[in-house]
Amino acid sequence: MNYDSPPTTTEEQLELLSLRGMVLPDRDRAAAFLNQVSYYRFSGYALHYEIFENRKRTHKFKEGTSFDDVVQLYDFDSKLRSLLFDSIQDIEVAFRTQLCLKVSLKTADSHWPLNPGNFSDRFDHGKFVQECEKETQRSREIFIESYKKKYTQPEAPAAWMLIEIVSFGSWSRVYSSLSDEEVKKDIARYFQVKPYILKSWVHSLTVLRNQCAHHARIWNASLSISPALTNKMEKAYPITTNKRKRIVLMLDIISELLKPLDKYEGFISSLNELLDEYPTVPEQAMGLSARVLDLNTGVRR
């Protein structure tokens, strides 16, 4: 089958929405919005308000659906994405810091990332070193430029410099591939979790961070990976429900990792304020089932 949908003007897009049953309270304002946010992107949020029959789209909206309802959902998702990105950044910086600090001290080696003996055999160390060298060459950070001018060997700079320029995803793989189990425990201890939990959670956060950075729809997204669960989470997220695949699980993970950073209360407060600012957002699609904060776990169930 060939894709044959033709491009449409903003006015044609609005007419299509109207024909499908969407109320347009202010057509000019709606046109201005679609000129900033593409119709295709908008339709991803509007999908929530469509009527489905036998799990198939009818391309008709539920009675009373307003263009402004979709805009509200879009704005909520944008703010949620920003909140998550900022919080993940705090966790990422702390993770990078602990990884570099603990392994550097344990190995007494400023360039421990370049030593294949620090990693398990399954780790593609050669590819990682290539990435370190590539990032070093393209970096314009003052401390990297200074290193390259002053030193010729090793070509890649010290660990505490590399930790600033190599990707979060790469450091996630570095942690999971460390051969020294004791140093992995030491790093995980800072975050008050077991190593296998930290490994899984950090990997999950790298995925979510990339989704946030690329403006993906978050509020009702289905998680593409399954993070490991603590005993407490096993009870909070019964396998018989879909909560394990919803963003509520990542909210819980983020809140747990923020506790040792003394940023937990600020995150929960901001999350609650955001939910209260948009009371019409369908919280069940996020995996939330109540508007009351569960103080035992940190997020709304």
Side-chain angles (χ1 to χ4, degrees), residues 92 105 113 119 164 167 237 243 278 292:
E92 176 186 349
L105 291 175
F119 305 94
E164 299 293 334
S167 73
Y237 301 97
K243 289 185 177 182
Y278 294 89
V292 179

Side-chain angles (χ1 to χ4, degrees), residues 130-147:
Q130 288 179 353
E131 181 183 0
C132 291
E133 292 175 347
K134 177 183 176 181
E135 294 302 323
T136 299
Q137 290 303 315
R138 76 175 188 173
S139 176
R140 293 297 178 265
E141 293 283 359
I142 294 175
F143 58 88
I144 297 295
E145 295 287 355
S146 176
Y147 180 90

Side-chain angles (χ1 to χ4, degrees), residues 87-250:
S87 298
I88 292 171
Q89 177 178 269
D90 290 333
I91 296 168
E92 176 186 349
V93 170
F95 174 76
R96 288 172 181 258
T97 299
Q98 288 299 309
L99 174 63
C100 183
L101 177 65
K102 296 300 196 312
V103 183
S104 295
L105 291 175
K106 185 68 179 290
T107 61
D109 182 4
S110 61
H111 287 74
W112 62 263
L114 307 183
N115 182 355
N118 291 322
F119 305 94
S120 64
D121 293 338
R122 66 180 181 276
F123 183 59
D124 192 341
H125 184 258
K127 182 178 180 180
F128 174 66
V129 171
Q130 288 179 353
E131 181 183 0
C132 291
E133 292 175 347
K134 177 183 176 181
E135 294 302 323
T136 299
Q137 290 303 315
R138 76 175 188 173
S139 176
R140 293 297 178 265
E141 293 283 359
I142 294 175
F143 58 88
I144 297 295
E145 295 287 355
S146 176
Y147 180 90
K148 289 190 290 187
K149 288 179 181 178
K150 191 172 183 179
Y151 306 101
T152 56
Q153 292 295 327
E155 184 175 344
W160 40 87
M161 300 179 192
L162 285 176
I163 207 75
E164 299 293 334
I165 62 173
V166 176
S167 73
F168 186 24
S170 291
W171 292 120
S172 171
R173 290 188 290 274
V174 162
Y175 175 76
S176 66
S177 302
L178 289 173
S179 57
D180 189 330
E181 294 298 326
E182 290 304 314
V183 78
K184 289 169 74 171
K185 290 179 182 178
D186 199 15
I187 295 166
R189 195 174 297 117
Y190 175 85
F191 291 98
Q192 303 170 8
V193 294
K194 296 182 181 300
Y196 81 94
I197 291 287
L198 182 60
K199 169 187 171 181
S200 174
W201 286 5
V202 168
H203 175 56
S204 299
L205 289 179
T206 64
V207 174
L208 181 57
R209 179 191 181 280
N210 289 339
Q211 290 175 314
C212 291
H214 291 90
H215 320 297
R217 192 168 63 254
I218 296 297
W219 75 280
N220 67 340
S222 179
L223 302 185
S224 58
I225 55 178
S226 300
L229 304 182
T230 63
N231 291 335
K232 182 177 66 175
M233 288 178 173
E234 288 282 357
K235 297 177 182 178
Y237 301 97
I239 198 168
T240 54
T241 71
N242 70 346
K243 289 185 177 182
R244 295 189 182 192
K245 300 297 292 183
R246 293 299 176 187
I247 194 64
V248 64
L249 178 55
M250 294 308 300

